[in-house]
Amino acid sequence: MPGAVDLSVNIGALRLANPILAASGTFGYGVEFAHLLNLNRLGGIVVKGLSLEPIAGAPAPRLCETPSGMLNAVGLQNVGVRAFVAEKLPALRAYRTAVIANVFGYTVEEYAGVIQVLEDAGGLAAYELNISCPNTAHGGIQFGSDPRMVSEVVAAARHVARRPLWVKLSPNVTDIAAIAQAAEDSGADALTVANTYQAMSVDVRTRKSRLGRITGGLSGPAIRPITLRLVHEARRAVKLPIVGLGGIEKAEDVLEYLIVGAAAVQVGTANFSDPAACEKIIADLERACRRANILKISNLIGTLEADCT
Ligand SMILES: Cc1cc2nc3c(=O)[nH]c(=O)nc-3n(C[C@H](O)[C@H](O)[C@H](O)COP(=O)(O)O)c2cc1C
């Protein structure tokens, strides 16, 4: 009889039943998917980004398909942190899956304010700071593009957060190592690598952008090799655990990220083509490990062979 595969992984002090989490913005507040898959099977759910006040979001169209990927400009639409605590979180508490709150703001104070509201609520396993957000106090430059702004926002969040603090990096940077180090030095417990790539697409007949906001973020399989390299770079720069994501569709993609050094992964765009993608990937991962005689998946993390011949 084949032995059971231990899929559990640790992200710092947080233990996950398996390394597959649903990515922020692609899985609503989790509860909307309860009739489509078994939420208890997931390693974790990262909810849609939460701000201090509700946000209506960007004009349509918000999504468009691209070769092996997708563009989105949703404009960070969300119900606001207080409505999330009052209306969404109670239902999520019924599941044993780790729930991670994705947090953003347009000022350092807003980030801290969202966490302060969440600190009083039960049922969350960690925070994930989305730093791919314009800093209105600094002319709209993304927090995540400048190591000093990263230090400032992470330190402010650390000051108010008692739960584990994950920092989700922007891939739209020249030197991911410097950004990763700034997050580590300012108190992050883990890094999520990475968000979407700034991009655009035009309909040549109408000469209009295919997105209401003109530009958007590229995700899906097209970005997987690019983000995989960022995980590799981040892993070499810091000691923090890394949660990898970008273009994961199947078990083999997960193994690729783990070998490069991710301790867990998230699945985003794949949820759009198949809402049960996470559950299927977990089942496939278990089978793939058994076939390869990997009895404990955490043993695979960071086992990239330096010699490529
Ligand atoms: C429609 C959509 C909405 C997203 N919203 C958020 C968000 O609110 N906060 C965030 O940190 N990332 C957000 N993301 C980024 C994803 O969580 C993920 O980092 C990215 O899509 C890359 O992973 P993937 O290729 O598996 O989709 C969003 C992505 C998509 C496609």
Side-chain angles (χ1 to χ4, degrees):
M1 200 188 107
V5 177
D6 179 1
L7 288 183
S8 68
V9 293
N10 295 318
I11 309 295
L14 179 64
R15 189 170 187 79
L16 303 176
N18 65 67
I20 311 298
L21 300 99
S24 180
T26 67
F27 209 70
Y29 301 99
V31 282
E32 300 91 330
F33 284 70
H35 66 292
L36 298 165
L37 76 168
N38 180 0
L39 294 182
N40 279 326
R41 278 286 281 154
L42 307 188
I45 298 168
V46 189
V47 299
K48 175 70 189 158
L50 300 166
S51 51
L52 209 44
E53 302 302 331
I55 291 179
R62 290 173 161 194
L63 301 178
C64 86
E65 273 190 55
T66 56
S68 298
M70 185 174 98
L71 285 178
N72 89 84
V74 173
L76 294 167
Q77 178 186 350
N78 77 104
V79 295
V81 66
R82 291 182 192 86
F84 169 74
V85 169
E87 296 159 22
K88 311 287 182 185
L89 198 51
L92 276 175
R93 284 193 199 108
Y95 299 94
R96 58 173 180 269
T97 300
V99 177
I100 291 94
N102 182 282
V103 168
F104 73 94
Y106 294 102
T107 62
V108 169
E109 294 73 27
E110 275 176 27
Y111 277 93
V114 176
I115 293 176
Q116 245 150 5
V117 174
L118 294 170
E119 278 288 297
D120 294 331
L124 290 171
Y127 303 118
E128 181 180 76
L129 287 194
N130 172 9
I131 57 171
S132 301
C133 208
N135 182 346
T136 48
H138 280 84
I141 306 165
Q142 272 192 16
F143 281 94
S145 64
D146 175 62
R148 271 168 307 181
M149 289 203 299
V150 172
S151 297
E152 213 187 322
V153 71
V154 174
R158 178 73 287 162
H159 189 66
V160 289
R162 276 169 296 167
R163 295 184 170 113
L165 183 64
W166 302 2
V167 178
K168 183 170 180 179
L169 305 190
S170 166
N172 302 299
V173 296
T174 318
D175 183 4
I176 195 106
I179 304 287
Q181 280 159 4
E184 181 174 55
D185 294 345
S186 311
D189 295 303
L191 301 179
T192 306
V193 183
N195 215 309
T196 54
Y197 296 76
Q198 287 164 13
M200 69 186 291
S201 174
V202 169
D203 181 336
V204 295
R205 282 157 305 181
T206 60
R207 299 192 197 174
K208 285 183 180 171
S209 170
R210 290 197 166 91
L211 293 172
R213 273 268 166 95
I214 314 296
T215 64
L218 181 66
S219 63
I223 71 170
R224 193 170 60 240
I226 316 176
T227 303
L228 193 70
R229 183 249 175 196
L230 292 181
V231 170
H232 175 62
E233 292 288 309
R235 161 87 182 189
R236 293 200 306 185
V238 297
K239 294 198 168 60
L240 296 178
I242 294 173
V243 180
L245 82 159
I248 292 174
E249 291 188 305
K250 52 190 191 302
E252 195 176 318
D253 307 338
V254 178
L255 298 177
E256 211 180 0
Y257 273 95
L258 297 187
I259 289 168
V260 163
V265 299
Q266 297 178 12
V267 174
T269 301
N271 297 312
F272 284 77
S273 44
D274 181 358
C278 289
E279 198 177 4
K280 289 180 186 164
I281 292 172
I282 294 163
D284 286 348
L285 194 59
E286 201 161 10
R287 277 192 289 271
C289 287
R290 195 169 292 137
R291 267 199 310 273
N293 210 21
I294 299 164
L295 299 182
K296 197 168 163 48
I297 201 163
S298 58
N299 287 341
L300 202 64
I301 297 167
T303 55
L304 181 71
E305 296 283 347
D307 184 358
C308 64
T309 54

